[in-house]
């Protein structure tokens, strides 16, 4: 340490730099005395004889531990390298640096350019061994002090957290009470919104579907209007981050969790940089106290939610994925029975194409041959039939439960709108009181308060319109006839108002997983269905041959057509097929023309006489065999001499060949003269002659 009269004149001609720093923004705002004392070093520099004094205060609110960049310190180092700095003034060594590399680099530069380090205790010349030793000890003590303080605070916080008494920041829906500690937020609207998010996730099984359904219902969620103070809020339309943060936060399951994140250290441009807020796996959390406070859900439900959210990630490995719509029914649900990977959906054909389930992962990642590939429509139809058969015995109970859930959903929606209206009316009343309390002459403030009042009144009108719309819906129209739907499950499944996403969600409520394999010899797709509850079933789906299209008429329809064609007309056959719910290969209803066209293609005779086996004859065949005209055969039939059959009036006659050997027909043919009919009741014209 040197005295003031020993500072060389050459050093006094240079400028003195006063370095001002405080570690956090809170210290900048609250520790004003420390800030004032550091700025007073300017007067200290002038008393030492420096005429030119510069203040570097860019590092206010930045720590000197080396974890963050300090532009003010870097500027100080740059000025030292130019040789224009004669002295560096600081309140104490910890203000300059609390890490060894920065401190010793500063001392090294000061020693090289013959600059002094000045604090309240005196002047130090880093070029002298004794001063260098003393400054080195001060720097080491400052660094050690920081480590001790940090360790002491962390251990105290951890010990308090292990008892669940550390008042960490809590999420929406909870508040710290001064008297009885942690509890629910008294805002019932906020509580109902959080309950609704968990209820919708139990129903839909997807965070994004929860978001879509709540946006459709016009649900709002609070957002801090004062930064991070969490004192005042604005209710805005709900966002995805609101939904996913609630679903993933264990605090809502009644668990007190401390130490969910960690800091990471890396070397950037030769300097140590620390970053915070990196989340750790649940198994590495420092403190987990279950049943610490009242939760919105239980811990077991929270764990199920995390498993479902992890499995829903389509780009990652895991279990069954959530239904996301599309044209296929089973994406994310069906897996390969050979390699275990999830099958993907591809589309083939022209236009929109048709879905094809394919084991593609091995081919994409490792250039392996595809395990299997099969048609999606046939597979979806087979699984749908199996699912409808499984739920048929419980259809009525399921319909009643669906009706109850529908009523509860409508009641919950009405309650949320009523709470929105109540909040909007309160805000409008508050805005009115503020406007009334304002001096009318102060138009700068009154105009803004008037606009705020008008905005709250418009929100009241919007909420009242939403509530009126919900109340205007008649109960008969609001609640569908679930019992009627239960009596015809297939019609309910194929209803126009049921989209593919809804069918996928319904199917996932029944089926846990589907494992697919292909029997190459039998050309069958073998589907092993794992139902919720532990049951298993197996379904076989025939794979079409090469060149066989997927619009083939069902064999059941052809069998019915063959059995009816000998007795019934094409129109009656079409009506029968429509009553049985069968469709053409293109999914259309049956008409007489379509039945006739299909009979022609498959060579299905419309009456028995078309089978040329000699047992049955047409009228033309009978006339040719007897050597007479059609008129004579028709007269034989009319007179009852020749039995004949018709499928319906106007249809071709069907004549048995053995009936042509009747003696009456032979006797009639034996006479060459026209045949006269003798009637005993007929009077002769010549009886009077």
């Amino acid at each position: 340490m040197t005295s003031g009269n020993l500072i060389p004149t050459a050093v006094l001609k240079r400028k003195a730099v006063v370095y001002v720093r405080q570690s956090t923004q809170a210290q900048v705002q609250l520790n004003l005395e420390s800030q004032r004392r550091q700025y007073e070093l300017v007067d200290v520099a002038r008393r030492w004889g420096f005429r030119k004094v510069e203040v570097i205060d860019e590092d206010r609110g930045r720590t000197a531990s080396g974890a963050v960049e300090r532009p003010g310190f870097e500027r100080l180092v740059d000025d030292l390298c130019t040789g224009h700095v004669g002295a560096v003034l600081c309140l104490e060594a910890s203000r300059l640096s609390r890490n060894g590399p920065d401190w010793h680099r500063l001392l090294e530069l000061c020693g090289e350019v013959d600059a002094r380090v000045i604090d309240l205790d005196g002047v130090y010349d880093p070029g002298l061994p004794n001063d260098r030793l003393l400054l080195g000890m001060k720097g080491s003590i400052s660094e050690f002090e920081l480590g001790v303080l940090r360790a002491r605070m962390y251990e105290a916080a951890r010990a308090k957290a292990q008892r669940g008494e550390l008042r960490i920041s809590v999420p929406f829906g909870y508040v710290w009470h001064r008297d009885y500690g942690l509890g629910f937020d008294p805002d019932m609207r906020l509580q109902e919104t959080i309950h609704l998010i968990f209820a919708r996730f139990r129903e839909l099984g997807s965070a994004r579907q929860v978001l879509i359904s709540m946006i459709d219902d016009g649900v709002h969620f609070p957002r801090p209007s004062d930064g991070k103070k969490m004192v005042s809020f604005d209710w805005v339309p709900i966002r995805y981050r609101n939904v996913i943060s609630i679903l993933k936060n264990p605090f809502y399951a009644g668990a007190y969790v401390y130490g969910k994140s960690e800091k990471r250290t890396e070397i950037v441009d030769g300097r140590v940089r620390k970053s915070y807020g990196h989340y750790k796996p649940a198994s590495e959390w420092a403190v987990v106290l279950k049943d610490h406070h009242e939760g919105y859900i239980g811990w077991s439900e929270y764990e199920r939610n995390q498993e479902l959210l992890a499995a829903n990630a389509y780009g990652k490995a895991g279990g069954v994925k959530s239904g996301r719509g599309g044209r296929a029914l089973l994406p994310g649900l069906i897996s390969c029975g050979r390699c275990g990977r999830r099958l993907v959906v591809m589309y083939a054909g022209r236009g929109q194409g048709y879905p094809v389930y394919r084991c593609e992962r091995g081919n994409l990642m490792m250039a392996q041959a595809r395990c299997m590939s099969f048609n999606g429509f046939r597979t979806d139809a087979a699984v749908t039939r199996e699912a409808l058969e499984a739920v048929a015995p419980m259809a009525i109970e399921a319909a009643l439960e669906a009706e109850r859930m529908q009523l509860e959903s409508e009641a919950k929606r009405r309650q949320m709108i009523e709470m929105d209206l109540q909040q909007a009316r309160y805000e409008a009343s508050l805005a009115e009181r503020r406007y009334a309390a304002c001096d009318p002459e102060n138009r700068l403030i009154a105009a803004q308060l008037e606009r705020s009042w008008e905005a709250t009144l418009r929100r009241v009108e919007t909420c009242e319109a939403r509530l009126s719309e919900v109340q205007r819906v008649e109960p008969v129209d609001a609640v569908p006839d679930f019992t009627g739907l239960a009596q015809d499950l297939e019609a309910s499944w194929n209803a126009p108002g049921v989209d593919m996403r809804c069918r996928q969600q319904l199917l996932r409520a029944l089926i846990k997983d589907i494992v697919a394999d292909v029997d190459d010899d039998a050309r069958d797709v073998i589907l092993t269905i794992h139902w919720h509850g532990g049951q298993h079933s197996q379904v076989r789906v025939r794979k079409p041959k090469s060149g066989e299209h997927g619009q083939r008429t069902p064999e059941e329809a052809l069998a019915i057509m063959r059995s009816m064609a000998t007795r019934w007309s094409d129109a009656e056959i079409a009506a029968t097929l429509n009553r049985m719910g069968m469709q053409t290969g293109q999914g259309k209803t049956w008409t007489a023309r379509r039945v006739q066209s299909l009979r022609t293609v498959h060579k299905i005779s419309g009456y028995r006489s078309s089978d040329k086996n000699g047992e049955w004859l047409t009228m033309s065949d009978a006339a040719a065999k007897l050597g007479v005209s059609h008129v004579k055969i028709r007269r034989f039939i009319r007179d009852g001499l020749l039995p004949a059959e018709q499928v319906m009036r106007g249809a071709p006659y069907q004549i048995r060949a053995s009936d042509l050997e009747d003696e009456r027909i032979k006797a009639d043919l034996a006479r060459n003269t026209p045949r006269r009919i003798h009637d005993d009741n007929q009077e002769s014209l010549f009886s009077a002659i």
Side-chain angles (χ1 to χ4, degrees):
M1 184 185 301
T2 62
S3 58
N5 55 2
L6 295 181
I7 298 179
T9 305
V11 174
L12 293 175
K13 291 181 180 180
R14 305 178 195 171
K15 68 178 180 179
V17 177
V18 176
Y19 183 76
V20 179
R21 186 189 67 82
Q22 288 177 287
S23 300
T24 62
Q25 291 296 334
Q27 293 180 5
V28 175
Q29 298 175 3
L30 301 177
N31 296 356
L32 301 180
E33 182 62 24
S34 173
Q35 188 177 127
R36 184 186 62 79
R37 292 181 63 196
Q38 293 188 61
Y39 280 109
E40 287 179 351
L41 293 175
V42 175
D43 298 333
V44 175
R46 297 191 185 281
R47 287 199 300 268
W48 283 108
F50 290 95
R51 296 182 179 180
K52 185 177 180 182
V53 181
E54 180 181 354
V55 178
I56 296 179
D57 56 0
E58 290 92 334
D59 294 342
R60 289 185 301 170
R62 295 175 179 268
T63 178
S65 62
V68 298
E69 294 184 358
R70 290 191 293 162
F73 185 81
E74 295 298 331
R75 186 156 72 90
L76 172 61
V77 172
D78 293 341
D79 288 347
L80 283 171
C81 293
T82 60
H84 296 157
V85 178
V88 178
L89 287 85
C90 60
L91 192 63
E92 57 184 16
S94 62
R95 297 303 90 198
L96 281 171
S97 177
R98 281 191 179 270
N99 67 90
D102 287 349
W103 178 251
H104 291 288
R105 182 172 59 146
L106 178 67
L107 297 182
E108 185 71 25
L109 291 175
C110 289
E112 293 292 337
V113 299
D114 196 22
R116 303 297 189 266
V117 177
I118 303 176
D119 60 11
L120 297 180
D121 296 331
V123 180
Y124 305 91
D125 184 2
L128 300 177
N130 290 335
D131 289 0
R132 181 68 174 270
L133 176 61
L134 183 58
L135 289 173
M137 292 178 63
K138 284 193 172 187
S140 299
I141 292 174
S142 175
E143 184 177 8
F144 176 74
E145 180 187 17
L146 178 63
V148 171
L149 292 175
R150 182 184 290 118
R152 187 181 300 163
M153 289 189 297
Y154 284 169
E155 290 300 324
R158 182 188 296 270
K160 201 170 184 178
Q162 289 175 346
R163 300 192 302 271
E165 299 176 359
L166 181 64
R167 294 205 169 190
I168 58 177
S169 60
V170 294
F172 287 108
Y174 287 98
V175 292
W176 286 104
H177 295 278
R178 179 179 301 176
D179 299 328
Y180 53 89
L182 186 63
F184 284 147
D185 193 301
D187 190 344
M188 294 301 299
R189 181 187 180 190
L190 178 57
Q191 291 186 30
E192 290 298 326
T193 303
I194 296 174
H195 280 299
L196 182 61
I197 291 175
F198 287 112
R200 292 287 175 86
F201 188 76
R202 283 192 293 268
E203 176 185 351
L204 302 175
S206 169
R208 177 161 179 80
Q209 297 308 313
V210 171
L211 173 67
I212 294 174
S213 66
M214 298 187 75
I215 288 179
D216 293 339
D217 293 342
V219 178
H220 288 63
F221 198 81
R223 182 180 65 184
S225 58
D226 54 357
K228 297 183 179 181
K229 293 183 179 180
M230 303 287 285
V231 176
S232 60
F233 305 95
D234 294 330
W235 286 79
V236 298
I238 193 168
R239 301 180 181 181
Y240 179 77
R241 64 184 181 187
N242 303 134
V243 176
I244 198 66
S245 62
I246 289 177
L247 293 174
K248 287 189 173 183
N249 197 330
F251 217 87
Y252 293 101
Y256 181 94
V257 179
Y258 176 80
K260 293 190 298 182
S261 61
E262 62 181 356
K263 68 176 181 180
R264 295 178 182 175
T265 305
E266 57 183 352
I267 305 299
V268 178
D269 298 331
R271 299 181 62 87
V272 177
R273 291 289 179 264
K274 297 180 181 180
S275 56
Y276 298 85
H278 302 281
Y279 287 98
K280 299 187 293 186
S283 58
E284 299 179 7
W285 290 345
V287 178
V288 179
L289 301 178
K290 301 178 183 178
D291 300 327
H292 173 266
H293 53 270
E294 188 177 2
Y296 287 86
I297 59 174
W299 183 257
S300 59
E301 182 177 352
Y302 167 77
E303 290 181 332
R304 289 195 302 269
N305 291 347
Q306 303 317 300
E307 293 176 358
L308 186 55
L309 288 172
N312 283 346
Y314 269 76
K316 300 179 181 179
V320 175
K321 310 301 180 182
S322 62
R324 302 193 300 180
R327 299 182 59 201
L329 181 64
L330 307 176
L333 187 63
I334 187 169
S335 59
C336 178
R338 300 180 181 180
C339 67
R341 298 185 178 95
R342 292 283 162 188
L343 300 186
V344 299
V345 180
M346 312 291 290
Y347 290 91
R350 298 179 179 178
Q352 293 183 347
Y354 58 91
V356 176
Y357 294 112
R358 181 178 296 171
C359 186
E360 190 76 12
R361 301 291 184 185
N363 179 266
L364 292 177
M365 295 186 296
M366 295 177 286
Q368 296 177 350
R370 299 183 180 92
C371 298
M372 62 186 69
S373 177
F374 48 86
N375 185 276
F377 284 146
R378 295 172 181 262
T379 307
D380 294 348
V383 174
T384 299
R385 288 193 299 269
E386 193 76 6
L388 295 181
E389 291 177 3
V391 301
M394 302 176 292
I396 301 299
E397 292 82 354
L400 296 176
E401 179 66 18
E403 183 176 3
R404 184 190 65 80
M405 294 176 61
Q406 175 75 10
L407 294 175
E408 288 184 356
S409 176
E410 291 297 330
K412 183 69 70 174
R413 180 185 178 188
R414 189 179 302 107
Q415 182 183 9
M416 294 297 299
I417 297 177
E418 290 174 352
M419 288 185 175
D420 288 349
L421 178 59
Q422 182 179 357
Q423 181 70 21
R425 286 174 175 172
Y426 166 74
E427 293 176 355
S429 176
L430 180 61
E432 181 183 5
R433 293 195 301 270
R434 288 175 176 173
Y435 178 76
C438 175
D439 185 2
E441 299 298 330
N442 191 353
R443 295 304 303 169
L444 295 177
I445 298 180
Q448 178 61 39
L449 294 177
E450 184 179 2
R451 285 193 294 269
S452 301
W453 186 15
E454 292 175 351
T456 56
L457 291 176
R458 285 194 296 268
R459 175 164 172 76
V460 170
E461 293 178 357
T462 302
C463 293
E464 289 177 346
R466 290 173 55 199
L467 184 60
S468 300
E469 182 180 356
V470 173
Q471 294 176 345
R472 190 169 56 248
V473 178
E474 295 295 332
V476 177
D477 299 333
V479 182
D481 183 12
F482 291 100
T483 306
L485 295 178
Q487 296 174 357
D488 191 353
L489 292 177
E490 187 173 357
S492 305
W493 182 269
N494 297 319
V498 182
D499 58 4
M500 184 58 72
R501 180 180 289 112
C502 181
R503 296 189 184 100
Q504 292 172 350
Q505 293 171 354
L506 291 173
L507 203 64
R508 281 157 174 76
L510 300 171
I511 298 176
K512 184 178 181 180
D513 193 9
I514 299 177
V515 180
D517 199 358
V518 176
D519 186 350
D520 296 325
D521 297 333
R523 295 193 60 80
D524 285 344
V525 179
I526 305 173
L527 302 174
T528 304
I529 303 176
H530 301 272
W531 303 88
H532 286 292
Q535 300 296 324
H536 308 281
S537 62
Q538 192 174 89
V539 179
R540 284 181 171 264
V541 182
R542 189 182 68 85
K543 290 189 67 175
K545 298 179 181 179
S546 299
E548 180 181 350
H549 57 77
Q551 299 179 345
R552 191 178 175 87
T553 304
E555 291 295 335
E556 295 83 356
L558 293 176
I560 293 173
M561 201 175 299
R562 290 189 179 95
S563 63
M564 294 183 64
T566 57
R567 289 288 181 179
W568 307 98
S569 66
D570 292 343
E572 290 172 321
I573 294 175
T576 302
L577 292 173
N578 290 331
R579 284 194 298 271
M580 297 178 66
M582 294 188 178
Q583 296 179 336
T584 66
Q586 297 179 344
K588 301 178 181 179
T589 57
W590 290 97
T591 63
R593 181 177 295 275
R594 288 170 182 162
V595 172
Q596 179 185 6
S597 175
L598 199 66
R599 284 197 302 101
T600 303
V601 172
H602 291 273
K603 298 181 180 180
I604 300 175
S605 302
Y607 44 89
R608 288 193 294 262
S609 57
S610 63
D611 297 332
K612 304 302 181 180
N613 53 9
E615 181 181 358
W616 292 87
L617 304 176
T618 64
M619 190 169 58
S620 300
D621 296 336
K625 186 173 183 179
L626 296 178
V628 296
S629 65
H630 290 187
V631 177
K632 197 170 188 67
I633 297 297
R634 207 177 284 275
R635 183 168 59 82
F636 285 159
I637 296 173
R638 186 184 67 237
D639 295 343
L641 299 179
L642 181 61
E645 298 181 7
Q646 278 183 306
V647 174
M648 59 178 295
R649 183 177 179 82
Y653 285 105
Q654 301 176 80
I655 303 171
R656 194 181 296 274
S658 58
D659 292 339
L660 296 178
E661 305 297 330
D662 190 274
E663 294 297 334
R664 292 177 298 173
I665 295 177
K666 291 181 178 181
D668 189 279
L669 294 176
R671 294 193 298 268
N672 294 328
T673 58
R675 182 187 175 206
R676 296 185 177 88
I677 300 176
H678 299 281
D679 192 348
D680 296 338
N681 298 324
Q682 184 178 2
E683 295 182 1
S684 176
L685 295 175
F686 305 98
S687 60
I689 298 177

